[in-house]
Amino acid sequence: MKGKFPIQPFQAIQTPFYYYDADLLRETLKVLNEEAGKHDNFVVHYAVKANANPKVLSIIHHAGLGADCVSGGEIEAALKVGFPASSIVYAGVGKSDWEIELGLEKGIFCFNVESVAELEVINEIAERMGKTAQVALRINPNIGAHTHANITTGLAENKFGIAMGDMEETIERVGKMSHVRFIGLHFHIGSQILDMGDFEALCNRINDLQDQLESHRIQVENINVGGGLGIDYQHPNRVPIPDFKAFFDTYSKRLKLRPGQKLHFELGRAIVAQCGSLITRTLYVKQGVAKQFAIVDAGMTDLIRPALYQAYHKIENISSEESLCTYDVVGPICESSDVFAKQIDLNKTRRGDLIAIRSAGAYGEIMASCYNCRQLPQGYTSDELK
Ligand SMILES: *Cc1c(COP(=O)(O)O)cnc(C)c1O
């Protein structure tokens, strides 16, 4: 089975471009809200870094989610489409002074702080501006996730967060500072996680840390467990919406929340990945010595995941119904890693055929570059092309 695409309108658009199925995005958000809404005190933020296309952001804002940002630019992008500052959480190991000033100026909900050095700078800047910064401490829980090594973030060897052993001392330090207020703990163990056991391990760790803090009478208003829920890259048609129920139920069952405590989530990929496809046109079909290449006009500059993480994306020829042939699908960039897939079956492909690279809504358009002096790909939603 292939995805449903408005081929006619596509013919008029310059390839390559991103196509977002707005109905699927809205349906995904509806299921997400229904499942999160079954649990008291669950608050979901959208991780803007997965996709900051204003049209996509706007749909997500209208579904009522908060925003999770990792830069000043993302805070600006979120505010621009209407996310209230009071819904914005801001993480990042290297926050610049102007980014901290922006967050304070706009009155964001929380800075997720990743070091004592950062804490001191936030306190100083807040004092100078006559503000108080709400801070959560990002703790490195030393938990491995069963995902690609480049996208684990919760191991002691990773650069993220404050070591567990330094947690209490750091909280005490916040207590002595005049312009920061401790409001919670933050965690994020990685991305594209499909094994609920990884999230269970995080819950167990947080339970231990909470017991430890409680024994020293330290209260925590907010727990933020980050994002990381994966999607089914193999079957975008069969499994278009991730299993949000299993995800939220895991936290609900395993995590021992204290009365009144809020549990925050920061989901990126799971919300936007399946609604997006990179649409590209076949330039040439080349018969090599051992294989056949379908050379398309999109490259690693438009979608870098296969080159960067050896990521799999399902690829479909959406303008051919002819019988299957085997191809390496490659881009035009002068890099040997500019390959989308090797030895895959596509309906017989000819010059001019449109190809859809599926499940590309997350970490696709936003990671595009101008390498080789190429233009950035545009993004269109199904709402515009109806
Ligand atoms: C990237 C990131 C997320 C979102 O991760 P997904 O795997 O896309 O859900 C959430 N929180 C933080 C701090 C992140 O850096």
Side-chain angles (χ1 to χ4, degrees):
M1 188 178 103
K2 287 194 200 183
K4 287 265 167 284
F5 294 97
I7 308 287
Q8 220 42 49
F10 278 6
Q11 298 296 352
I13 304 174
Q14 159 101 50
T15 51
F17 62 90
Y18 277 88
Y19 171 71
Y20 300 107
D21 181 339
D23 294 326
L24 175 58
L25 177 56
R26 281 185 285 263
E27 184 61 26
T28 303
L29 289 160
K30 184 166 157 251
V31 173
L32 169 79
N33 277 332
E34 277 167 11
E35 292 303 333
K38 288 178 185 164
H39 307 277
D40 286 345
N41 301 333
F42 278 24
V43 184
V44 183
H45 305 260
Y46 166 63
V48 173
K49 79 169 189 280
N51 187 323
N53 181 302
K55 299 162 206 168
V56 170
L57 278 185
S58 177
I59 292 173
I60 297 170
H61 162 54
H62 280 108
L65 275 65
D68 162 43
C69 300
V70 293
S71 73
E74 286 189 0
I75 293 174
E76 283 167 344
L79 290 171
K80 200 166 170 192
V81 302
F83 284 94
S86 60
S87 81
I88 295 179
V89 293
Y90 173 27
V93 288
K95 300 180 184 75
S96 299
D97 291 14
W98 76 266
E99 294 176 303
I100 295 169
E101 284 161 13
L102 177 72
L104 285 166
E105 176 68 43
K106 300 294 180 187
I108 62 167
F109 172 62
C110 186
F111 290 84
N112 293 330
V113 172
E114 310 218 11
S115 67
V116 172
E118 178 192 333
L119 200 54
E120 283 167 352
V121 170
I122 292 178
N123 188 53
E124 269 170 41
I125 294 178
E127 177 164 20
R128 169 163 44 79
M129 294 174 68
K131 309 249 183 195
T132 299
Q134 304 210 107
V135 299
L137 300 186
R138 178 168 182 175
I139 306 301
N140 185 323
N142 194 18
I143 286 177
H146 296 90
T147 183
H148 192 279
N150 287 6
I151 49 177
T152 66
T153 54
L155 282 172
E157 68 194 51
N158 296 129
K159 68 178 175 180
F160 300 99
I162 294 167
M164 282 182 287
D166 298 335
M167 175 182 70
E168 263 195 71
E169 198 196 315
T170 312
I171 295 173
E172 277 159 21
R173 248 168 123 158
V174 181
K176 292 190 190 116
M177 291 181 178
S178 54
H179 290 76
V180 287
R181 188 168 88 79
F182 174 71
I183 65 159
L185 297 176
H186 174 237
F187 306 85
H188 175 66
I189 58 172
S191 201
Q192 184 54 18
I193 298 167
L194 290 165
D195 181 348
M196 294 302 126
D198 292 339
F199 298 121
E200 286 176 6
L202 176 61
C203 291
N204 295 341
R205 177 72 83 214
I206 297 173
N207 289 340
D208 291 346
L209 294 174
Q210 288 234 79
D211 289 346
Q212 182 194 330
L213 292 179
E214 204 166 51
S215 70
H216 292 94
R217 299 209 173 73
I218 297 172
Q219 289 201 353
V220 184
E221 290 164 55
N222 299 277
I223 301 287
N224 182 336
V225 291
L229 177 63
I231 63 133
D232 192 337
Y233 281 97
Q234 314 287 330
H235 305 109
N237 300 317
R238 217 190 313 147
V239 193
I241 298 179
D243 194 349
F244 292 118
K245 179 173 167 35
F247 178 71
F248 290 124
D249 283 353
T250 300
Y251 281 101
S252 168
K253 284 199 192 104
R254 284 295 176 120
L255 195 63
K256 292 186 212 134
L257 286 182
R258 305 302 193 256
Q261 235 173 18
K262 284 217 161 77
L263 182 60
H264 298 256
F265 297 88
E266 304 168 335
L267 290 168
R269 186 192 310 270
I271 295 173
V272 291
Q274 294 291 35
C275 77
S277 295
L278 176 59
I279 308 298
T280 175
R281 205 176 279 283
T282 310
L283 293 172
Y284 306 101
V285 176
K286 177 160 92 172
Q287 182 63 56
V289 177
K291 34 170 73 167
Q292 228 182 163
F293 296 97
I295 301 167
V296 298
D297 63 5
M300 62 190 285
T301 51
D302 305 294
L303 177 65
I304 201 174
R305 299 188 68 259
L308 193 59
Y309 312 122
Q310 294 74 51
Y312 171 84
H313 286 266
K314 187 176 172 68
I315 301 180
E316 295 168 345
N317 182 332
I318 56 175
S319 45
S320 165
E321 291 297 338
E322 293 182 60
S323 56
L324 297 174
C325 296
T326 303
Y327 302 92
D328 278 18
V329 180
V330 303
I333 313 296
C334 302
E335 295 286 338
S336 298
S337 56
D338 186 31
V339 174
F340 289 115
K342 287 185 173 167
Q343 297 299 101
I344 59 155
D345 289 341
L346 291 179
N347 294 95
K348 187 173 176 63
T349 299
R350 300 167 194 280
R351 173 173 166 82
D353 281 357
L354 287 172
I355 305 289
I357 305 181
R358 305 291 308 277
S359 314
Y363 307 107
E365 184 182 354
I366 193 69
M367 289 179 106
S369 79
C370 298
Y371 182 45
N372 282 194
C373 288
R374 285 167 60 85
Q375 279 179 7
L376 292 175
Q378 299 293 304
Y380 301 89
T381 70
S382 52
D383 290 344
E384 298 167 83
L385 302 183
K386 262 175 191 157

